[in-house]
Amino acid sequence: MTVLDGNIATVAMPAVQSDLGFSAAGLAWVVNAYLIPFGGLLLLVGRLGDLLGRKRMFTAGLAVFTLASVLCGVAGGQGTLIAARALQGVGGAMTSAVVLGMLVALFPEPREQGRAIAVFSAVGAAGGALGTFLGGALTQTLGWHWIFLINLPIGVLALVAALRILAPDEGAGLGAGADYPGAVLVTGALMLMVYAIVGAGTRSPGGTLALGTFAFALLAGFTVRQARAARPLLRLRLFRSRTLTSANAVQILMIAGMYGFQYIGALYLQRVLGFSELLTGTAFLPAPVTIGLLMLTLSARTVARFGPYRVLLAGLALVTAGLALLGRAPTAGAYVTDVLPALLLLSAGFAAAMPAVTGLAMSGARAEDAGLASGLFNTTQVVGGSLGLAVLTTLAAGRTERLTAAGEHVAAASADGYRLAFTVATAATATALVLAAALLRPRRAAPAPGPTTAADPTTAADRAAAGPGRTADPEPIASR
């Protein structure tokens, strides 16, 4: 529900603009108002989930998100809709930041955890891919209000199930890490960073640079604060894990390419190939079907058999090949020959790469830091998606405007702009592939002189990350 809501509104934007009288610049805030608090609060509420209890944070977030969805659905003015979308972002952050930490705690055994992460990734990927279809279908048949009201029955059902099924967990308490100045610094830094990225296309480069510089200054201040605070909000030792840090860096580049594909791909189908909103949504349906089938049937077993490192490399190679194929999308293209093959490659690659990179990222965190690691992982998703969307749409729009001004037909100019965006997205995922190959390779432990004993320094998380028959990163987390 929360992943779906990040992009379900994109197809409905023309209807929202017409009904509520948004300007072109104001319309962007229907999306930005959700992304800014969502991305800015993930790290903070992830840590608060560790301190106050993850179930408590998760259920409170579900309630906030569901209430905000209803407010969005009944909004009759611009201000009401934007405020409700911001509240949605808060609720979405509260649930998303702790869910991976809950998952790791519920399924500590590596094989079961791999299957659980595959199911989790399949649900999230399906939500993201179905957003385009549902946005078009609901807007065209019932009206744009229903893209938000559909969350009411889902949210109520999820909340009741969570309250009845999930066992209560006791957090470490606010005294274990209630660094309020640090909380203000990191939340302000992340919100400003997301704001700078998502609004990059509507302001001057100098303005974006100034905002980005201020955001990094706040982040630097937060880092200094955490290094000196007696009870830090974020234990900096988390970043000493090569696996966790590298997996998040790889994810930023991968998600940047995939988000660009979803948005630019929808524009290509509508503005170049002439698809309607509903037909565009239908054209994307093979993606969630492929992702769901592969993640639920093959991903966990493949990771268990070959290890997440090899599966991640294979998945990134497929994603890069799919984006490269879209880089030649012609003006007079056909869906079956020019879009569908790339869509299937991207779906298969994402189905392999996402559970693998998720498992690697979470394997580098201690149990007491699971909520924080979950929040960090979701934060890099938002930053990667926002960055990819801002850069790729700006490049595509700039190329299209230059060619149109030179007298080229709008459809041909648009197609050329989208090809440029797909080419840059290909470069991003290719870079992710290189980084993953170089930084996430499992380290082999030196052969032991005798049988493995309890003193074996390799953690269970490291053995799970390496896969059967391999030993990864033998240095224990506690000593880093």
Side-chain angles (χ1 to χ4, degrees), residues 7-15 131-133 135-137 139-140 261-284 330-331 333 335 339 410-411 414-415 418 422:
N7 63 2
I8 193 173
T10 55
V11 181
M13 286 297 97
T132 306
F133 170 73
T139 301
Q140 195 160 316
F261 149 71
Q262 283 188 312
Y263 190 79
I264 300 295
L267 292 177
Y268 173 74
L269 290 175
Q270 290 182 4
R271 296 180 179 177
V272 178
L273 300 189
F275 281 33
S276 66
E277 294 165 335
L278 183 58
L279 191 56
T280 298
T282 305
F284 274 88
T331 304
Y335 171 75
V339 178
V410 174
S414 298
Y418 300 148
F422 288 134

Side-chain angles (χ1 to χ4, degrees), residues 27 41 92 168 174 208 229 240 280 293 297 308 310 366 378 387 396 438 444-445 447 473:
L27 188 64
L41 290 171
L174 286 176
T208 300
R240 296 175 187 168
T280 298
L293 286 175
T297 59
R310 294 179 181 179
R366 288 178 170 184
N378 283 283
L387 183 62
R444 294 183 181 274
D473 209 357

